[in-house]
Amino acid sequence: MEGVGRRPFAFKETAISRLVLWNVDPTLVDAAQVTRSAYAEAFERATGTPLVYLAATAGRTDSEVFFEFFARNDVDIEPGEEPLAEFVQALADGFVRRRDQLPARARAAAGAAEALAAVAAMEDTVQTVVTGTIKPNAVAKLQAFGLDGYLDLSLGGFGSEGYPKASLIQFTRMRAAEARGAEFPERSTVYITDSVRDVEAAVIGRAAPIGVLSGSATESQLRAAGAEQVLEDLTDPRAVVGAVLKATDPPGTGIG
């Protein structure tokens, strides 16, 4: 199973009831410099056109980013051509060549490892990712900073699947339920992210969004999008666990 080799805990076989989903970039890892160069190379390889005009990537899947690039850079293709698959493959290939750049040109979010470890130690809890990044690149980012061992990446939702984030949240919940033989109710699912679009996707996908001020969004923007809780950062593991408990434990339990 991917991403569980260094995990300091064992999943229970029964009574698993809480699902914690994390956005990857930049909530856990900021690899924007490496990602941008991989995007540019992949776009030119897939379309034959240099990537001149960039587009906002926060909260978007890699396929959505590609079509935004496509529109902004006025690319002409023959009817019936579909360069997305070639772009995705080129993006994966380009990231493989750049993996050794991650330690120098990327960074883990402050407190990310400690926050993941604290959530991993919670009872009746499974955590994984829902990210717009294609799977091999998301795994590479997490592995570069030793974060993958706290997550069950076999359950995650990735940009490779070609669905919007809200659907990825729902599919991930179903995968987790099937893999673990337990239900993960909507009220017991949270999505931790720095992006307004992700918060909106969580609301649509029936997961409680927890905002983190590690991206460009402000607290007021995250709250307006639907995040009832917003963390300054991930440096206080107790605050992260407290936010998860508050979002997932029913009223009247005295928790949170």
Side-chain angles (χ1 to χ4, degrees):
M1 182 181 296
E2 290 185 73
V4 296
R6 293 183 297 279
R7 188 176 58 211
F9 69 102
F11 284 120
K12 291 185 176 182
E13 293 299 321
T14 59
I16 298 175
S17 59
R18 185 183 291 113
L19 182 62
V20 179
L21 310 173
W22 292 84
N23 180 48
V24 175
D25 198 339
T27 309
L28 292 174
V29 177
D30 184 353
Q33 292 184 46
V34 180
T35 301
R36 279 196 296 267
S37 61
Y39 274 150
E41 179 186 284
F43 185 81
E44 185 165 5
R45 177 171 144 187
T47 66
T49 301
L51 181 61
V52 177
Y53 299 104
L54 299 175
T57 59
R60 289 181 165 89
T61 64
D62 280 344
S63 59
E64 290 173 316
V65 169
F66 170 73
F67 287 116
E68 184 75 11
F69 288 162
F70 202 80
R72 289 176 63 86
N73 289 272
D74 296 323
V75 176
D76 292 321
I77 62 170
E78 294 296 324
E81 287 186 1
E82 179 50 85
L84 175 60
E86 187 174 353
F87 171 77
V88 169
Q89 184 59 57
L91 187 59
D93 295 344
F95 216 85
V96 167
R97 290 192 293 275
R98 291 170 172 80
R99 285 188 67 155
D100 61 353
Q101 299 178 17
L102 288 170
R105 301 183 65 197
R107 63 178 180 83
E114 293 79 7
L116 288 170
V119 174
M122 295 173 68
E123 291 187 4
D124 302 334
T125 301
V126 171
Q127 65 176 345
T128 186
V129 300
V130 169
T131 174
T133 303
I134 60 174
K135 187 171 184 177
N137 295 2
V139 172
K141 293 174 186 180
L142 294 165
Q143 286 178 341
F145 298 98
L147 303 181
D148 57 311
Y150 301 110
L151 300 152
D152 188 342
L153 297 177
S154 69
L155 306 176
F158 300 90
S160 321
E161 297 177 77
Y163 297 104
K165 286 283 189 76
S167 297
L168 289 177
I169 289 169
Q170 294 171 328
F171 293 152
T172 300
R173 184 189 291 120
M174 289 188 289
R175 271 195 293 267
E178 182 177 0
R180 299 295 169 192
E183 280 204 44
F184 294 91
E186 294 173 356
R187 67 179 183 276
S188 297
T189 304
V190 302
Y191 188 26
I192 303 176
T193 181
D194 60 277
S195 162
V196 168
R197 285 174 60 92
D198 281 354
V199 169
E200 294 170 344
V203 173
I204 296 170
R206 305 293 186 180
I210 297 175
V212 184
L213 297 177
S214 57
S216 60
T218 65
E219 179 174 357
S220 60
Q221 289 172 328
L222 292 169
R223 290 190 182 278
E228 294 185 4
Q229 301 183 78
V230 178
L231 301 171
E232 186 71 26
D233 52 35
L234 301 178
T235 58
D236 184 352
R238 290 174 60 89
V240 176
V241 169
V244 172
L245 288 173
K246 185 175 181 180
T248 57
D249 283 307
T253 60
I255 300 174

